[in-house]
Amino acid sequence: MSFFVTTPIYYVNDVPHIGHAYTTIACDIFNRFHKLKGEETFFLTGTDEHGQKVEKASLAKNKDTQKFVDEMSQNFRDLIPFLGCEIDDFIRTTEDRHKNATQFLWNKLKENNQIYLSNYEGWYSIRDEAFYLESELTKKENGFVAPSGAPVEWVKEESYFFKLSAWQNKLLEFYEQNKNSILPKSRYNEVLSFIKGGLKDLSISRTTFKWGIKVPEDDNHVMYVWIDALCNYITALSYPNIDNSSFKKFWPGVHIVGKDILRFHAVYWPAFLLAADIEPPKKIFAHGWWTNEGQKISKSIGNVIDPYEIVNQYGLDQMRFFLFREVPFGNDGDFSKDAIAQRVNADLSNNFGNLIQRISSFIVKNSDSKVNKPAEFIDDDKNLLNQYDEALNNYLTNMNSYSIDKALKNIFEFLSLVNTFVDNQAPWSLKKTDPVRMEEVLYVVAILIIKSSILLLPIIPSSIKKVLSIFSLSVEEINLSKIQNFLPEIISIKKPYPIFPRIEK
Ligand code: MSP
């Protein structure tokens, strides 16, 4: 089995914010999850560097555009390790490998009679890099605005068109047969009704500026930034060399995108691919948007959330955990300082952190820093071990269906049961009355901490490495296929320390 996951490639007109961090971390979580299942994985991200919006931003800064995108792209590259993400490739659309792949795709579409030259006259939004029908726009005092709130301008120019209208029925057929290929379900329905509403041919080149990939054999045109950008997903798999192992192994992939760019991924992209004789993506997951303390995040309001600030203030895994535990993946979410503090304190510090701390220090003090596997488990222990198996199954089902929040809920509800087990069994009282039973209890709790930790590895990897090292284990020793039957003969504790300090308000 192989797994290919991608973030959208980020526009380099501005510095990264929490929205970019959110998508990148989501992909990192799925990538780590599939790795943990033993699959061969490929995690791709990168930057979208062409088009009018980026060119405008460089001109506003009075910078050479290439120099500007070099600098801005670096900000996105630097953010990845800071977010604890491990990628396999970082693609930039200004690289030669990408220009070559995109021009090849263009030629292939042309060869397949999918492109024709005509004139475009209509609305365009530079901020969204999107064409709009007048019926989609709202009239405001200063003119029309796009559904996103972005301003639009009237453009009239010669343009190459892609025969999108010809793909309406093929796309519907594909989605009828692949009902889970767009998630969540509500987004699938949205895409289907958009396609059923009728597809118009799409303008795929521009003549009024130069910052883009040249249309082959027509120097007056550069490609529309979205055909250029979408192609990144196959450039990175060495397209057009489709017989090479990475394309064969990893395509079709899973695209994680924000809800605002679903149409490009679920309508235009599969149509381009089908028209070029390539399989459409395996899955497109559209996530929601974050607001800040109830307010839409925007540069003009000045409430953009800087991921560096959040990580420095609350901790990396604390932020990763909050973003994916607090809000169902797919829904919109509100970021607030109270909410992050409350969530981290309740789940990580109290439920999980205290359990680790009290059991590991108790073993150090009262059981010579180690516990042996009991000869037999009594019913109370077996019950709890069975409940873990149940939590594990639910976790797997939920992670496989992209419900990270539910998967996390499964683990934390189980950890509450472990805490109750400790309270009921009261190893501190058993110390004098029944030391053998005390050690059994400690073993059961320690092994269940380890088994639960493994499930949290994709979400909070660096903390889990610390937890495992307290239990003298390393990540390499355990994976998801071994986890159910993992019962080492002895568990030793290395010096315990608090891993999830409380956030003081
Ligand atoms: N360049 C295009 C994508 C091309 S992919 C072939 C683009 N770039 S972007 O930088 O504007 O946005 C990247 C992602 O950030 C999108 O998925 C978008 O939904 C996401 N977010 C931007 N603001 C966000 C929030 N406030 N909350 C969550 N995600 C947000 O679009």
Side-chain angles (χ1 to χ4, degrees):
M1 278 284 267
S2 67
F3 179 74
F4 175 43
V5 67
T6 69
T7 72
I9 47 171
Y10 303 114
Y11 286 129
V12 289
N13 61 307
D14 212 338
V15 293
H17 59 65
I18 197 78
H20 306 116
Y22 184 56
T23 323
T24 306
I25 297 169
C27 293
D28 187 61
I29 291 174
F30 294 121
N31 192 52
R32 286 176 186 271
F33 171 66
H34 283 266
K35 243 191 221 174
L36 205 57
K37 288 204 292 184
E39 294 172 22
E40 194 169 350
T41 62
F42 192 118
F43 172 10
L44 174 71
T45 187
T47 43
D48 189 354
E49 306 184 8
H50 289 128
Q52 254 177 312
K53 159 153 134 169
V54 169
E55 187 182 52
K56 241 177 102 177
S58 81
L59 295 177
K61 290 243 155 82
N62 250 327
K63 284 206 171 155
D64 169 70
T65 309
Q66 186 62 52
K67 266 208 186 122
F68 174 75
V69 299
D70 288 346
E71 280 170 28
M72 298 300 275
S73 175
Q74 191 60 40
N75 295 329
F76 286 90
R77 202 189 281 266
D78 291 343
L79 182 65
I80 295 159
F82 185 78
L83 297 174
C85 298
E86 282 173 6
I87 59 166
D88 296 292
D89 196 359
F90 186 96
I91 187 162
R92 300 183 53 192
T93 54
T94 48
E95 288 172 87
D96 282 344
R97 61 168 171 161
H98 179 69
K99 291 181 189 163
N100 294 337
T102 309
Q103 285 176 330
F104 190 96
L105 179 72
W106 181 284
N107 283 331
K108 180 80 191 165
L109 292 172
K110 193 121 196 253
E111 197 184 298
N112 287 356
N113 194 26
Q114 300 294 325
I115 293 179
Y116 62 92
L117 185 63
S118 184
N119 289 293
Y120 178 79
E121 188 170 356
W123 295 104
Y124 190 79
S125 159
I126 297 182
R127 200 169 95 192
D128 295 350
E129 295 284 19
F131 300 95
Y132 287 108
L133 294 174
E134 193 154 310
S135 57
E136 294 175 283
L137 307 176
T138 317
K139 196 152 175 48
K140 290 264 164 75
E141 282 150 33
N142 303 333
F144 285 110
V145 293
S148 60
V152 290
E153 58 187 47
W154 187 257
V155 299
K156 188 176 174 189
E157 58 189 324
E158 186 184 72
S159 172
Y160 285 96
F161 282 81
F162 169 70
K163 292 182 182 168
L164 183 63
S165 58
W167 291 95
Q168 178 163 342
N169 291 335
K170 280 267 164 17
L171 284 175
L172 286 175
E173 217 173 274
F174 174 79
Y175 284 130
E176 284 300 333
Q177 285 162 8
N178 296 279
K179 291 204 155 53
N180 286 320
S181 63
I182 302 172
L183 288 176
K185 193 81 208 153
S186 56
R187 299 290 173 200
Y188 172 87
N189 295 335
E190 189 182 301
V191 169
L192 251 72
S193 71
F194 176 75
I195 301 174
K196 283 181 184 153
L199 298 180
K200 288 205 158 42
D201 289 352
L202 182 71
S203 162
I204 51 166
S205 76
R206 306 290 314 274
T207 53
T208 42
F209 66 96
K210 290 275 167 241
W211 185 245
I213 298 179
K214 282 204 171 83
V215 167
E217 290 159 33
D218 192 341
D219 277 356
N220 291 329
H221 291 251
V222 293
M223 291 186 207
Y224 171 41
V225 68
W226 270 100
I227 189 170
D228 162 352
L230 287 161
C231 188
N232 91 85
Y233 300 131
I234 54 174
T235 304
L237 300 180
S238 303
Y239 180 81
N241 181 8
I242 57 175
D243 285 327
N244 93 330
S245 63
S246 70
F247 190 92
K248 263 212 171 122
K249 198 182 288 170
F250 291 112
W251 190 256
V254 174
H255 302 314
I256 309 283
V257 301
K259 60 181 184 180
D260 54 318
I261 54 173
L262 179 59
R263 191 182 293 181
F264 301 95
H265 284 83
V267 182
Y268 304 163
W269 179 225
F272 294 151
L273 289 167
L274 287 167
D277 310 316
I278 304 171
E279 234 185 299
K282 179 153 62 194
K283 185 148 336 246
I284 301 162
F285 190 103
H287 66 67
W289 271 46
W290 285 91
T291 49
N292 184 0
E293 311 273 351
Q295 250 189 338
K296 187 177 181 259
I297 296 176
S298 105
K299 246 172 61 173
S300 50
I301 302 175
N303 64 347
V304 177
I305 302 175
D306 174 2
Y308 285 94
E309 240 174 62
I310 302 302
V311 170
N312 291 336
Q313 190 171 353
Y314 298 100
L316 170 59
D317 282 345
Q318 283 75 358
M319 178 180 88
R320 288 176 63 117
F321 182 75
F322 171 77
L323 291 176
F324 292 94
R325 173 63 188 89
E326 189 72 6
V327 174
F329 194 50
N331 292 11
D332 290 337
D334 183 41
F335 192 94
S336 83
K337 296 196 164 174
D338 277 351
I340 187 168
Q342 211 172 326
R343 179 56 77 185
V344 166
N345 288 345
D347 288 357
L348 292 181
S349 308
N350 294 356
N351 192 349
F352 189 36
N354 277 352
L355 179 68
I356 300 166
Q357 181 68 16
R358 63 177 172 153
I359 286 303
S360 55
S361 354
F362 191 87
I363 294 175
V364 169
K365 279 193 205 117
N366 303 294
S367 190
D368 197 19
S369 297
K370 60 181 188 329
V371 280
N372 288 296
K373 185 171 129 189
E376 232 187 318
F377 292 111
I378 68 164
D379 281 350
D380 282 358
D381 304 349
K382 278 189 202 153
N383 274 342
L384 195 64
L385 289 161
N386 288 340
Q387 267 167 318
Y388 172 84
D389 292 347
E390 206 178 293
L392 168 66
N393 278 334
N394 293 335
Y395 163 91
L396 291 173
T397 308
N398 284 321
M399 285 300 279
N400 282 323
S401 52
Y402 299 80
S403 303
I404 314 178
D405 63 300
K406 286 197 191 127
L408 284 169
K409 203 161 165 244
N410 298 137
I411 305 170
F412 281 83
E413 282 175 357
F414 175 71
L415 287 168
S416 299
L417 297 180
V418 181
N419 271 304
T420 310
F421 178 85
V422 176
D423 294 342
N424 292 342
Q425 300 286 332
W428 45 89
S429 326
L430 292 168
K431 196 182 167 203
K432 286 215 176 82
T433 56
D434 189 351
V436 175
R437 177 63 195 147
M438 177 194 78
E439 193 174 341
E440 287 172 8
V441 169
L442 294 175
Y443 181 91
V444 169
V445 176
I447 193 65
L448 289 172
I449 291 175
I450 295 166
K451 281 168 174 262
S452 305
S453 297
I454 292 300
L455 309 187
L456 290 171
L457 188 69
I459 299 102
I460 48 171
S462 50
S463 304
I464 293 304
K465 283 177 194 155
K466 291 183 197 159
V467 175
L468 292 177
S469 87
I470 290 182
F471 290 86
S472 314
L473 288 166
S474 77
V475 183
E476 290 71 35
E477 291 169 72
I478 329 168
N479 61 39
L480 278 180
S481 55
K482 287 198 219 151
I483 193 69
Q484 197 162 355
N485 300 315
F486 185 67
L487 289 172
E489 288 304 318
I490 185 162
I491 300 172
S492 328
I493 306 294
K494 282 196 198 137
K495 201 173 164 38
Y497 61 97
I499 294 178
F500 304 105
R502 282 183 67 81
I503 295 173
E504 299 307 335
K505 284 190 201 161

